[in-house]
Amino acid sequence: MDVALQAALILLICVAFLLIIGAPIAVSLGIASVLAMISIMDFNNSLLTSAQRMFAGTNSFTLLAIPFFVLAGVIMNNGGIALRLINCAKVLSGRLPGSLAHTNIVANMMFGSISGSAVAAAAAVGSTMGPLQAKEGYDRNFNAAVNIASAPTGMLIPPSNTLIVYSLVSGGTSIAALFMAGYIPGILWGIGCMIVAYIMAKRRGYKSDERVSLRVALRVFLDAIPSLFLIIIVIGGIIYGVFTATEGSAIAVVYSLLLSFVYKTIKVKDLPRILLDSTRTTSIVIFLIGVSSIMSWVMAFTNIPGIIADTLLAMTDNIYIILLIMNIVLLIVGTFMDPTPAVLIFTPIFLPIALSFGVDPVHFGIMIVFNLSIGTITPPVGPVLFVGAKVANLKIESIIKPLIPFFVVTVAILLIVTYIPSISLFIPELFGLVK
């Protein structure tokens, strides 16, 4: 048997087997990649090369943005920022039927755009909105479905850690361009959820809130401005070249920490716990990137991306069908794999095919992240689904039925984003970030 083919089979079979028996994804990728490398070269060189690849894969200044944005998100989650954003969202959406559901969606979009974490948004906003919705007589399963379905908008609306990972693995696609490209697709996702919530609220007879006075609305907006101003500082600074994404992430940490101290929602004694929480999340992501670097080397040696590309091109040379096949594969993968390892694995496979047909790497990045974001709310692995269910104190089985309409709408928006590149590229082109 050809050495490259043997290594490819070992890699694929070991990953599949380890995932089936319940091994963590990072461990599965690492063990499978090392075993595949041992089949290519001797044992000592395999271990040495694996260690070098892990170091090279994580030795990136750009990657420093991830731990800083994670830390900023944890600080915001503990710093009372979510409540102020919820109050602001309530003023914006209070006149719609099922106003609290729309408030949940808008608040998730706001909080996600500041923290960059779908899980953090689902936990922070869901835990605050749940009791309010229950008090107004909203169905608990409906509440949980709304919260879960809208939380991943923060993975598209910048800052987004997943887009940073895509930038790294795609060969240096502009982070600023990716951030700007995520706005319209992320907002469309939120609007789609609001349309579904509106229809369901009308059917269930949920009412709108009473109109608030201009004075109250202004007070709420002013209270939320310091939190929202973080977006202007970080994203504006990155877009206009004042600082890099990594430097912007550090500024986000300092700003959110100072804001939390001003609000008196975080004390110095809380900092060790906050740092530990963010370290846990960061270590998982960085370890995934490191072991994926070993796997990328093995894949390049065995020419797995080339084999898959040849297979796809043998089936069809129609770019629309190829993109549809990619979407289907990514949607399936997203149901059992977290976005970060999925981006690390499938970007090197699918991106060269897309580029050969003239697909812009920024547009493709939004497509792949949109796909995998849907996976965060689908069983059996969806982290947002589990967190949303836990926050609502409900079983996942009871939430699936009210989630189905949201699935249908988000997949429809995914197809629109896939086949109309200008949706993703309009804002980056406006700022001169892509040509």
Side-chain angles (χ1 to χ4, degrees), residues 368-388:
I368 195 171
V369 172
F370 200 121
N371 263 290
L372 298 171
S373 297
I374 294 175
T376 64
I377 61 175
T378 56
V381 176
V384 177
L385 176 62
F386 280 90
V387 169

Side-chain angles (χ1 to χ4, degrees), residues 166 170 319 326 350-362 364:
Y166 170 81
S170 65
I319 182 57
M326 289 180 181
F350 287 155
L351 182 58
I353 303 172
L355 293 178
S356 68
F357 283 93
V359 177
D360 190 282
V362 173
F364 185 79

